[in-house]
Each structure stands twice: as C-alpha cells, then as structure tokens.
C-alpha cells in the first residue's frame, strides 16, 4: 500500500494546468477545499466534482495516478463513512438488529462525507502533481508576503510546507523498504488478529 503513495509528487507534463500560475492554482485549490467543507448537499458537492473532473482532464495526468493517491487513505474514508452511518438517530429505518439501527439519512450522510474526502484528496493531489516544489514554494511565499510586515518569516514557512509535502512519498518509500526487509527476516504484517498485526506494523 505504501508503494502506491503518490501524494506530494510532481509529474512534469505539458498541459494547460501545468502552465498556470502557481499562485492561481494554490488559490483555486484552497477555494475548492473551503467549498467542499461549506457544501451541505449533494447538489453543491456535484458542482465540486465537475470542477475536479475538469482539472483532471486538463492536467493530462492519468486517472490511475489520482486513484493511487486514494489507496493510502481508503481506511480513513471507510472508517469515517461507517461512523456517519450510525450518526443518524431518526428517520427511515433501513436495517435493524437488536440495538443496531441503520437509517437512510445515516447512509446518505456516510456517502456524502466519503465523496467529500475523496474530492479533497484528489483536488490537493492535482496541485502537487502539476506544480514543482520550487514553484509551489515561491507561490506560497508570494501569497504570504504581506505578513512580512508583521515580522513573519514567510520564506521559511513556505519552505517547511513544501518540504513536508515533498517528503510524504519519500518517507512512504523508505517505510516500504523497511517493511520488505522485515518480511525477509520472517516478520508478517498480514497474519494474526488486528492487535498482532498492529504490533508488527509498529
């Protein structure tokens, strides 16, 4: 799973999105993320989905790369969806077994939250896929330049953010190498119960 992490990587492709001003791309990404949190129904979320699809097509990066960026957070998406299924406590009952009740509103909420998280990850990935670390650092620094009057070191802040994004795939790759080395020594990450697998992973 760790070898499939692509978030934070830059893919140099000759596309319209790659040629856009990094500052504009950063502003658009932040705006879309804010819109995703503000969206309160499927209609508004579908508008965000349309924009996301357009960005994917214009970036000329294979859809498979965007799907790979989701593999590392599928468990988080699933867990969040399950929790939201049981969040609803009234409405139309779809399933009932003992004290367990699943409502239609809960299922709808779970799907909504799952789609929101997926769109957030894809939108953020599009920014890092189409913007080099250097360009992203310059864009952040320029957008935060007014804070320099308040004594904020915007260059250092921008550099830290960019390095953090850049090292996500590198750390994942190193973790994968360590896990492979441990497997060669007989350590199993897929056998036994949940607690045993968690201890092996740690």
């Amino acid at each position: 799973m760790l070898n499939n992490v692509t978030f934070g990587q830059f893919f140099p492709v000759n596309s319209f999105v790659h040629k856009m001003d990094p500052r504009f791309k950063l502003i658009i990404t932040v705006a879309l993320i804010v819109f995703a949190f503000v969206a309160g129904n499927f209609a508004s979320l579908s508008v965000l989905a349309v924009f996301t699809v357009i960005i994917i097509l214009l970036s000329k990066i294979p859809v498979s790369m965007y799907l790979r960026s989701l593999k590392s957070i599928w468990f988080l998406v699933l867990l969040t969806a399950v929790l939201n299924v049981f969040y609803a406590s009234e409405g139309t009952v779809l399933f009932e077994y003992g004290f367990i009740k699943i409502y239609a509103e809960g299922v709808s909420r779970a799907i909504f939250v799952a789609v929101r998280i997926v769109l957030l990850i894809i939108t953020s990935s599009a920014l890092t896929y189409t913007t080099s670390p250097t360009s992203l650092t310059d864009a952040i620094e320029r957008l935060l330049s007014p804070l320099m009057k308040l004594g904020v070191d915007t260059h250092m802040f921008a550099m830290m953010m960019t390095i953090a994004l850049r090292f996500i795939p590198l750390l994942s790759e190193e973790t994968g190498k360590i896990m492979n080395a441990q497997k060669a020594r007989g350590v199993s990450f897929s056998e036994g119960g949940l607690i045993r697998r968690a201890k092996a992973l740690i």
Side-chain angles (χ1 to χ4, degrees):
M1 180 178 69
L2 293 171
N3 293 331
N4 292 319
V5 176
T6 58
F7 183 81
Q9 295 185 10
F10 169 62
F11 298 94
V13 180
N14 186 19
S15 72
F16 174 76
V17 180
H18 283 75
K19 296 178 181 179
M20 292 174 60
D21 191 315
R23 291 171 295 178
F24 181 72
K25 286 191 286 186
L26 187 58
I27 292 174
I28 291 296
T29 301
V30 173
L32 291 177
I33 291 175
V34 172
F35 183 80
F37 282 106
V38 173
N41 51 59
F42 281 101
S44 55
L45 202 62
S46 62
V47 174
L48 176 61
V50 171
F51 274 100
T52 304
V53 171
I54 293 175
I55 292 174
I56 292 175
L57 295 177
L58 292 178
S59 67
K60 294 184 179 180
I61 294 177
V63 178
S64 60
M65 297 304 300
Y66 289 98
L67 296 179
R68 285 180 61 185
S69 67
L70 298 174
K71 288 186 177 181
S72 59
I73 54 99
W74 66 267
F75 179 76
L76 175 62
V77 175
L78 181 61
L79 178 62
T80 305
V82 171
L83 292 177
N84 277 272
V85 167
F86 297 101
Y87 181 77
S89 57
E90 57 182 15
T92 305
V93 179
L94 296 179
F95 176 81
E96 182 176 359
Y97 182 79
F99 66 92
I100 299 177
K101 289 184 179 181
I102 297 179
Y103 298 88
E105 289 74 9
V107 175
S108 176
R109 180 65 182 176
I111 296 174
F112 181 85
V113 172
V115 173
R116 170 187 283 172
I117 295 176
V118 169
L119 291 177
L120 286 173
I121 296 299
I122 292 179
T123 302
S124 302
S125 298
L127 175 64
T128 59
Y129 287 173
T130 61
T131 312
S132 66
T134 302
S135 298
L136 189 58
T137 302
D138 292 339
I140 296 174
E141 184 176 357
R142 291 180 181 180
L143 289 175
L144 297 179
S145 57
L147 296 179
M148 294 181 62
K149 297 180 180 179
L150 301 177
V152 179
D153 191 348
T154 57
H155 177 72
M156 184 64 66
F157 181 75
M159 185 65 69
M160 286 191 300
M161 290 185 62
T162 306
I163 291 176
L165 289 174
R166 184 67 187 90
F167 270 81
I168 291 176
L170 293 178
L171 290 175
S172 299
E173 182 180 354
E174 289 300 318
T175 304
K177 291 180 180 179
I178 294 174
M179 291 179 67
N180 290 332
Q182 293 298 320
K183 288 180 181 179
R185 294 182 175 91
V187 178
S188 176
F189 297 99
S190 58
E191 296 181 357
L194 180 61
I195 297 178
R196 182 178 176 182
R197 284 183 288 175
K199 288 182 178 179
L201 183 61
I202 294 175

